[in-house]
Amino acid sequence: GMDDPVPNGHSDLPLVRLANGAQYAGVIGVVQNRMVWEPAPGKDEYSLHSTDGPAKPGDYVSLVIYGVAQVKVDAKANLKSGDRLTASDLAGHARALQTRTLDGMQITEGAPVIGIALDAPTTDRATIPVFVTLR
């Protein structure tokens, strides 16, 4: 859905939630930062700027819609560099598109693509770099 613009703003803002392949597969971006609307450091005027911590419902966020972003991946997913990713059933995580062989042809599911994995997951990282190319 949509929400009102920031104070004195002109554009409505999209409402976002964690995507999951079962219910909310319409991915519009990957959250890069949590944002706050508060006075700019050392100034009296308000602005949006990034802040630490995970985004919570009602927070402003910045979204990557094209470019490299760190993306959480489903730990059960068998990912490798170059895989095209979609929303996992685990909310807020990605998985590789599923591929099957049917009558000698390789068929890939038609789920919405978030982007391309630039690296394989490792046990010491919660995210992998993904080139986000929403289409």
Side-chain angles (χ1 to χ4, degrees), residues 37-120:
W37 177 256
E38 63 185 17
K43 299 185 179 182
D44 291 333
E45 54 202 44
Y46 279 70
S47 68
L48 272 176
H49 59 273
S50 63
T51 188
D52 292 333
K56 300 179 293 301
D59 283 350
Y60 294 109
V61 295
S62 64
L63 297 175
V64 174
I65 58 172
Y66 187 81
V68 178
Q70 292 294 318
V71 175
K72 292 178 185 175
V73 293
D74 190 336
K76 297 179 291 187
N78 185 19
L79 294 175
K80 61 187 179 311
S81 181
D83 282 348
R84 291 183 297 151
L85 306 179
T86 190
S88 169
D89 287 342
L90 181 58
H93 292 70
R95 64 167 175 81
L97 290 176
Q98 297 178 15
T99 302
R100 303 280 189 266
T101 300
L102 178 66
D103 295 331
M105 294 182 294
Q106 197 167 21
I107 308 295
T108 302
E109 72 177 299
V113 174
I114 296 168
I116 300 166
L118 297 176
D119 203 359

